[in-house]
Amino acid sequence: MKKLSIIFLSYYSGNRVWRCYERLGTLLAKERIPFEFIVMDDGSKDDSYLQARALESKYDNVCAYRLSRNYGSNYSLLAGLTKCHGACAMPMVDDEQQPYETVVAMYRLWEQGHKIIIPYRKSRDDAFMSRFLSNSFYAIMNRLTDVKYPPGGADLFFLDREVVDILNAQIHPRNTSGIAEVLRLGFNPYFYAYERPLGLNKNKSRWTFRKKWRLAKDNFFSASTFP
């Protein structure tokens, strides 16, 4: 088995970094998938980084990093890609909205030869306005930009080492987004649909409207010449 790099995007994550690592570690050990766990703390002001360092001191496959200030999840994600060493890599957020089993499913798809795998939810149980704005945004992106998103959009991915190296060598994180850059590369991405099981932990989102607007703007202007 080849090593998988998990880039954990931490922002006021507290002890959730332990929970995510241990649950994921149990699953991957059962599947005999070796992995490294890279914690990228995005300038949290609580004890998140201290928790990450404690995890690092306990487990050999954990590395903890902290950005000098809060740059946003996209900067944290792209910074994490420069620190990973696995044959494949994927980012993970701490809200546990995506079932851990999808990590194994995407790893198996990667073993079959898929170099870019984009996970997306088959259905969404968000508030009406949130669904409406999200669906409208991705419809505009698919119509007016160089990239094509799956139904309902996506913001995470599973990448082969070749794609990681291209991003690290060619992409500057300013005024762009990782998912837009990944989709622009081609490689015939595989769109992997999954259902979020009922009863899955639903932590309150820390995505403010300002952060969503900034990411949406960077997504659009980095992938379109329409303006």
Side-chain angles (χ1 to χ4, degrees), residues 65-81:
Y65 300 92
R66 177 170 59 179
L67 301 184
S68 60
R69 63 175 178 83
N70 177 228
Y71 284 92
S73 62
N74 184 64
Y75 282 74
S76 184
L77 185 160
L78 292 173
L81 289 177

Side-chain angles (χ1 to χ4, degrees), residues 61-125:
N61 65 337
V62 177
C63 291
Y65 300 92
R66 177 170 59 179
L67 301 184
S68 60
R69 63 175 178 83
N70 177 228
Y71 284 92
S73 62
N74 184 64
Y75 282 74
S76 184
L77 185 160
L78 292 173
L81 289 177
T82 69
K83 298 298 183 181
C84 71
H85 301 93
C88 50
M90 67 165 291
M92 173 176 286
V93 294
D94 70 353
D95 59 9
E96 298 184 285
Q97 297 294 294
Q98 182 176 329
Y100 292 105
E101 289 76 15
T102 63
V103 177
V104 175
M106 289 188 288
Y107 186 90
R108 300 306 182 204
L109 288 168
W110 170 75
E111 287 184 315
Q112 295 172 21
H114 297 287
K115 293 193 173 185
I116 296 178
I117 304 158
I118 309 294
Y120 71 96
R121 292 196 326 218
K122 290 181 181 179
S123 59
R124 307 182 72 90
D125 56 357

Side-chain angles (χ1 to χ4, degrees), residues 170-184:
Q170 303 295 334
I171 304 303
H172 191 281
R174 185 172 178 82
N175 297 330
T176 190
S177 74
I179 185 67
E181 297 295 346
V182 165
L183 290 172
R184 290 179 69 181

Side-chain angles (χ1 to χ4, degrees), residues 7 20 26 35 37 51 126 163 200:
I7 301 169
C20 288
T26 298
F35 76 105
F37 194 77
Q51 295 279 0
D126 303 325
V163 181
L200 192 68

